[in-house]
Amino acid sequence: MLQPLSTSIGPIGVFDSGFGGLTVLRSLVQQLPQYDFCYLGDSARSPYGNRSYEAVHQYTLEAVQWFFDQGCPLVILACNTASAKALRTIQQKDLAQMAPANRVLGVIRPTTEVLGQYTKSGAVGILATEGTVQSQSYPIEIEKFYPHLKVYQEACPMWVPLIENNEQEGPGADYFVKKHLDAIFKKDPAIDLLLLACTHYPLLEQKIRQYLPPNVQLLSQGKIVATSLVEYLNRHPEIANRCTKQATLTFNTTDSTAAFDQQAAHFFGAPVSSKEVQLLPVRS
Ligand code: DGL
């Protein structure tokens, strides 16, 4: 049944399966300091990387509904897996039923729009979760903007669990970082740009750099997504005017707050004090 057209005002919602989206939130706050932001990490069900389309869509939909219930007119899926597996269905189908005046944006499109500017050799590597790789979202989107690029993908299924368990400096991280870098350069040694296409991966940046040939650029998404959001809000005053601007930040998790706050501080780079929330089932 169609809902009345909601024109709520509120913070910009920022969503991730867990902590990864905080690396994006950092850049959003830097570039849009006057705006209010509301972060939600679905830590109780993280990671999403190996889950089915149905599960990722359902969980993401529940989160989007929760943001809308808080009054958020705009939600950023600061998670590549959710952007790859749920965003299109939410934009094209669910939003019309839920809140047609609201908007949900992802991180893949803004990244692929600028990716070609960072490579000289024309060979780029995408490091991502299994779900993002399987969805083929990156090769499909890159083809639209930079059809001449050669795109190689590598799923790194152990990287998110290592990071979520604060093992990014340990010997396990050395092993799994080297394993996947070796694998992607084997696909094409001419790769001169590696994209961290998972918002958790910036936490492994130092470790990755230890094993990276000096000519290879490592790109993370925070600044790119923030720059794109600034441009989006300039182009869409009808949305920007509904986003409140008192420079507040709230953090929410579906799991225990103590564990969340401790880990989240590493990702966000500042102390975090969260609230535990419950997501309710939503029918698509
Ligand atoms: N941070 C997420 C991403 O960008 C998801 C990681 C996960 O839940 O597996 O893909």
Side-chain angles (χ1 to χ4, degrees):
M1 203 176 66
L2 281 184
Q3 307 276 326
L5 200 68
S6 156
T7 49
S8 59
I9 62 162
I12 298 174
V14 180
F15 175 68
D16 183 53
S17 60
F19 305 108
L22 291 163
T23 63
V24 175
L25 181 64
R26 248 167 120 155
S27 300
L28 296 180
V29 173
Q30 271 165 14
Q31 292 203 36
L32 293 160
Q34 70 278 32
Y35 279 80
D36 296 323
F37 291 96
C38 171
Y39 184 85
L40 172 64
D42 189 9
S43 301
R45 301 188 288 201
S46 165
Y48 282 9
N50 292 323
R51 293 192 187 269
S52 67
Y53 272 90
E54 291 74 20
V56 174
H57 172 239
Q58 185 58 36
Y59 295 169
T60 307
L61 192 63
E62 290 172 13
V64 167
Q65 183 62 61
W66 179 86
F67 282 114
F68 289 171
D69 292 343
Q70 314 308 303
C72 301
L74 174 65
V75 177
I76 311 297
L77 303 184
C79 172
N80 287 272
T81 312
S83 299
K85 289 186 145 182
L87 180 63
R88 187 180 292 245
T89 314
I90 291 175
Q91 285 176 333
Q92 295 182 353
K93 177 170 166 268
D94 305 310
L95 203 55
Q97 318 270 333
M98 295 164 91
N102 289 356
R103 291 292 171 265
V104 182
L105 304 174
V107 289
I108 296 180
R109 177 80 183 220
T111 308
T112 54
E113 275 176 7
V114 298
L115 198 73
Q117 300 169 11
Y118 296 88
T119 169
K120 286 200 184 103
S121 71
V124 303
I126 309 293
L127 302 167
T129 66
E130 191 71 59
T132 300
V133 168
Q134 273 172 10
S135 76
Q136 294 294 329
S137 300
Y138 273 97
I140 292 169
E141 287 295 317
I142 293 169
E143 166 81 27
K144 290 180 192 161
F145 300 107
Y146 303 101
H148 60 285
L149 291 188
K150 285 194 228 152
V151 181
Y152 303 93
Q153 301 193 91
E154 173 71 11
C156 313
M158 289 302 290
W159 288 13
V160 168
L162 280 167
I163 295 165
E164 290 264 333
N165 290 291
N166 212 3
E167 285 289 336
Q168 60 269 27
E169 299 302 331
D174 285 281
Y175 176 82
F176 283 108
V177 163
K178 195 169 174 319
K179 173 179 172 169
H180 292 298
L181 290 185
D182 287 349
I184 200 152
F185 286 114
K186 214 168 156 192
K187 290 174 190 171
D188 188 342
I191 290 172
D192 68 350
L193 171 65
L194 281 183
L195 173 70
L196 300 181
C198 170
T199 54
H200 279 68
Y201 294 175
L203 270 278
L204 269 179
E205 197 171 323
Q206 268 176 314
K207 187 62 72 190
I208 296 170
R209 284 192 193 281
Q210 284 175 23
Y211 294 102
L212 215 56
N215 65 315
V216 178
Q217 277 213 69
L218 194 60
L219 192 63
S220 25
Q221 295 173 292
K223 278 193 197 137
I224 293 172
V225 173
T227 304
S228 164
L229 183 59
V230 171
E231 288 163 7
Y232 177 88
L233 292 168
N234 287 338
R235 284 199 314 272
H236 294 276
E238 76 288 1
I239 298 291
N241 291 340
R242 292 173 54 208
C243 297
T244 50
K245 299 166 192 78
Q246 290 176 344
T248 67
L249 265 179
T250 53
F251 298 92
N252 302 275
T253 171
T254 54
D255 207 349
S256 118
T257 56
F260 184 87
D261 293 353
Q262 200 192 8
Q263 264 296 73
H266 294 294
F267 284 78
F268 189 59
V272 166
S273 173
S274 64
K275 200 173 125 197
E276 186 174 339
V277 300
Q278 217 194 341
L279 302 185
L280 302 173
V282 179
R283 239 182 238 181
S284 175

